[in-house]
Every structure is written in structure tokens, then in C-alpha cells.
């Protein structure tokens, strides 16, 4: 438990120190936190963390390699508290990606998950049975509208197979 407090403190301090880099990155593209966390090194937790900017793509990677956690996570805000909370949830495996792209697995009530991700659901059409089939969804986010097609795997699990901006 004490080690978790040290890890959280180290992550927050590093995120806070990178605030200006994140703000600068937001001007040119999508900033990503790229790092390696070794929770149990000899001197306590060790965190290497940098900001990398992609011009028009967003990528999430989380790899566990022995005692090390390697990660890359996009950020859309420079608020250190918000970034810390998103990063901690991501590292703990308790996050749903806010960025929907083909291959994204969504669990729960589809309409609610989309609304929590900032989408306004305009229309839904279910094709198939209770535990299989497809769901077509028309949503808006800001000024943009999207047509999404989800494959229904179980009653509460969906995979985004196609997303088209209209």
C-alpha cells in the first residue's frame, strides 16, 4: 500500500513537470505520454516519462514486461490532475478509451458508454439477436457527425468495426 502511494506521488510530480510540454504539443497535434514504470526497483518506484506529439494519430499501448510497465497514452488536456487520473486508470487497466476507433471493445450499455465518451446518440438500429449481430449508430460530437457499426459479441460487449465521419 505504501509503495502505491509512492508510485502515485512520483507519477503526479512527473506529469506536473511536463505541463508546459503538453500545452505546447496541443498546439501542433496530439500529445502522448510515453514512459516506463518500474514499481519495485531497489530505490523505490522508477518512472521515465516524456511527451511525444503525433500530428494526426492517437495511439494507446500498455505492455507489461517482467517488473516493468511500458506505456503510451494520448492526452487532450494540460491539467495535471486530469492527466494523472487518466494515466493512473490506464496503468491500472481500468479505463475505456475515449477515442473510439475500429477494434475498440466497448462493455456495458452501448448508448451510455457513447454518452460518457462525449457522443450524442441520435439513432440506433439493432440487426440480429440478443447476444450477436450488429448495431448501427448515428452520433454527433461537437459539430461532427459519425456513423458507427458495432459487432455485438455478448449482451453487454461490442466491438467497433467501422466508423465514418459524415
Amino acid at each position: 500500500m505504501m509503495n502505491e502511494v509512492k508510485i502515485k506521488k512520483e507519477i503526479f510530480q512527473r506529469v506536473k513537470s511536463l505541463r508546459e510540454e503538453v500545452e505546447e504539443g496541443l498546439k501542433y497535434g496530439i500529445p502522448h505520454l510515453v514512459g516506463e514504470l518500474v514499481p519495485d526497483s531497489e530505490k523505490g518506484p522508477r518512472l521515465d516519462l516524456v511527451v511525444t506529439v503525433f500530428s494526426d494519430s492517437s495511439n494507446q499501448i500498455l505492455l507489461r514486461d517482467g517488473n516493468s510497465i511500458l506505456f503510451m497514452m494520448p492526452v487532450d488536456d494540460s491539467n495535471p490532475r486530469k492527466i494523472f487520473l487518466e494515466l493512473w486508470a490506464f496503468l491500472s487497466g481500468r479505463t475505456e478509451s475515449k477515442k473510439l476507433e475500429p477494434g475498440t471493445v466497448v462493455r456495458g450499455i452501448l448508448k451510455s458508454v457513447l454518452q460518457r465518451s462525449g457522443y450524442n446518440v441520435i439513432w440506433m438500429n439493432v440487426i440480429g439477436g440478443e447476444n450477436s449481430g450488429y448495431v448501427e449508430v448515428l452520433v454527433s460530437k461537437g459539430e461532427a457527425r459519425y456513423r458507427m457499426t458495432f459487432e455485438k459479441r455478448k449482451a453487454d460487449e461490442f466491438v467497433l468495426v467501422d466508423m465514418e465521419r459524415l
Side-chain angles (χ1 to χ4, degrees), residues 93-106:
R94 296 186 312 253
T95 184
E96 292 174 359
S97 172
K98 286 187 279 180
K99 171 112 170 122
L100 287 176
E101 52 194 28
T104 302
V105 176
V106 176

Side-chain angles (χ1 to χ4, degrees), residues 32-47:
H32 288 64
L33 295 180
V34 179
E36 177 181 15
L37 173 64
V38 182
D40 301 317
S41 69
E42 290 114 27
K43 299 177 184 177
R46 182 178 57 81
L47 175 66

Side-chain angles (χ1 to χ4, degrees), residues 141-156:
K141 187 171 190 177
E143 298 296 316
R145 288 185 178 225
Y146 301 92
R147 179 181 299 127
M148 300 177 182
T149 303
F150 290 88
E151 179 183 357
K152 189 173 189 179
R153 288 188 174 168
K154 300 177 189 168
D156 63 347

Side-chain angles (χ1 to χ4, degrees), residues 66-123:
N67 191 32
S68 178
I69 302 170
L70 306 163
F71 61 90
M72 178 166 58
M73 184 189 89
V75 293
D76 58 3
D77 193 310
S78 63
N79 181 326
R81 286 185 179 90
K82 182 179 179 202
I83 293 172
F84 165 75
L85 292 172
E86 288 176 4
L87 181 57
W88 183 253
F90 179 65
L91 293 174
S92 302
R94 296 186 312 253
T95 184
E96 292 174 359
S97 172
K98 286 187 279 180
K99 171 112 170 122
L100 287 176
E101 52 194 28
T104 302
V105 176
V106 176
R107 290 182 182 84
I109 299 170
L110 185 57
K111 183 176 181 179
S112 298
V113 171
L114 291 170
Q115 289 172 334
R116 281 195 309 270
S117 296
Y119 292 93
N120 179 33
V121 177
I122 299 168
W123 171 82

Side-chain angles (χ1 to χ4, degrees), residues 1-38:
M1 186 65 166
M2 186 60 177
N3 196 31
E4 184 176 305
V5 172
K6 288 180 182 178
I7 293 169
K8 286 180 175 181
K9 185 176 181 179
E10 179 68 22
I11 291 172
F12 183 74
Q13 292 302 321
R14 291 300 310 274
V15 165
K16 200 165 109 175
S17 74
L18 294 171
R19 181 182 192 146
E20 288 181 15
E21 288 184 52
V22 171
E23 285 176 353
E24 187 70 18
L26 285 167
K27 296 175 186 175
Y28 302 104
I30 303 168
H32 288 64
L33 295 180
V34 179
E36 177 181 15
L37 173 64
V38 182

